[in-house]
Amino acid sequence: MYCPRCGEAPIKHFPNNQKVADFYCPFCKNQYELKSKGGIIGRKIADGAYGAFIQRIRSDTSPDFIVLSYDPIDLWVENCWVIPKHFFTPLIVEKRSPLPPTARRAGWIGCNILFEKIPEQGKIAVVQNRMTVDKKIVTDKMQRASLLQTSNLESRGWLFDVLNCINCLENDVFTLTEMYQNESVFKMLHPQNRNIRPKIRQQLQFLRDKGYVEFVGRGLYKRIR
């Protein structure tokens, strides 16, 4: 497989038991972790230790993710996505219950990646329904997704929550009032914040500056696909 970031091929496999990632690009040095599953990728993807995953999200060492589903009988890749590292936030990582005292690793706490909560702009298809996506489309989408990169976790969480809200709207043209109708959801996701509406407007301005939405009039926006 080529590198989704720079387009050079192929990416290389790290030595076994590499703690950080599974693959790397020898050209641009980007790293990738692979999560694969026989059958359909559902709402959640099982991952490793919860604490280690959260620590990686908070650092600059997190790799991009490659999520792959395959037919276990035909050994055919059904779908494959690459998820840029900056699309991960603590809110999309679910903490699992500790293993019981009878387990070999008693007390160990794993996690699940809530795949459904990752904005569609961060799930970049490489293979879709057994058909490969043109490499230029993939690398262009990766470059566009990099515009949303921010190192501040709180800002990142707000940005992608607002983006998910926009993605769920029925029409491409929407009003600020429609966004405010989700105020209770944002309060639940960010209980420490007392300025929900100004925060929504701030993220819309950021998305406008990055070319993801267009301001078309007073309190009126347009989603750019």
Side-chain angles (χ1 to χ4, degrees):
M1 179 177 165
Y2 60 87
C3 173
R5 285 202 177 264
C6 71
E8 295 290 341
I11 56 174
K12 301 286 188 179
H13 202 290
F14 271 115
N16 290 337
N17 301 319
Q18 176 77 17
K19 291 184 178 181
V20 177
D22 298 307
F23 298 92
Y24 69 97
C25 174
F27 302 95
C28 71
K29 310 304 179 185
N30 196 60
Q31 298 182 359
Y32 299 92
E33 182 173 332
L34 173 66
K35 292 296 175 185
S36 60
K37 179 182 178 182
I40 298 172
I41 298 291
R43 296 170 53 247
K44 303 178 182 181
I45 302 171
D47 200 79
Y50 174 79
F53 196 92
I54 293 296
Q55 185 177 5
R56 282 168 55 186
I57 288 177
R58 297 182 185 278
S59 72
D60 296 327
T61 60
S62 181
D64 292 332
F65 266 65
I66 296 174
V67 178
L68 182 146
S69 67
Y70 62 93
D71 185 321
I73 297 176
D74 293 342
L75 299 181
W76 197 288
V77 175
E78 299 281 358
N79 293 285
C80 179
W81 302 269
V82 58
I83 304 172
K85 66 190 83 175
H86 60 277
F87 275 81
F88 287 92
T89 68
L91 285 176
I92 69 164
V93 183
E94 180 182 63
K95 189 176 186 179
R96 297 208 302 262
S97 299
L99 292 181
T102 54
R104 183 171 59 87
R105 290 193 293 172
W108 182 84
I109 301 173
C111 69
N112 296 314
I113 299 169
L114 301 178
F115 189 64
E116 65 175 357
K117 291 193 175 183
I118 300 172
E120 62 183 47
Q121 292 84 354
K123 293 184 281 196
I124 299 168
V126 179
V127 177
Q128 199 164 28
N129 298 322
R130 296 194 175 192
M131 298 292 292
T132 56
V133 178
D134 184 85
K135 180 172 73 172
K136 181 68 164 54
I137 293 176
V138 174
T139 54
D140 282 353
K141 285 188 174 182
M142 286 291 288
Q143 185 174 4
R144 179 166 166 74
S146 68
L147 296 174
L148 299 178
Q149 189 163 357
T150 172
S151 58
N152 185 288
L153 268 184
E154 182 184 358
S155 298
R156 195 190 308 176
W158 262 104
L159 175 62
F160 295 139
D161 289 339
V162 169
L163 191 56
N164 271 330
C165 181
I166 294 172
N167 290 338
C168 291
L169 295 175
E170 185 176 352
N171 300 313
D172 282 343
V173 177
F174 60 94
T175 66
L176 194 56
T177 302
E178 287 180 89
M179 296 297 294
Y180 287 163
Q181 288 172 357
N182 295 279
E183 190 172 0
S184 60
V185 176
F186 290 118
K187 283 182 179 179
M188 181 181 66
L189 294 172
H190 304 276
Q192 304 302 319
N193 194 290
R194 297 292 182 266
N195 299 289
I196 301 296
R197 292 192 176 192
K199 201 69 178 179
I200 292 173
R201 294 195 299 271
Q202 180 190 58
Q203 301 312 310
L204 286 171
Q205 183 174 339
F206 181 87
L207 290 168
R208 182 203 64 187
D209 294 343
K210 300 301 181 181
Y212 279 82
V213 299
E214 180 183 353
F215 180 66
V216 294
R218 187 173 178 85
L220 199 62
Y221 294 85
K222 182 180 180 181
R223 174 173 53 205
I224 300 176
R225 294 188 180 275

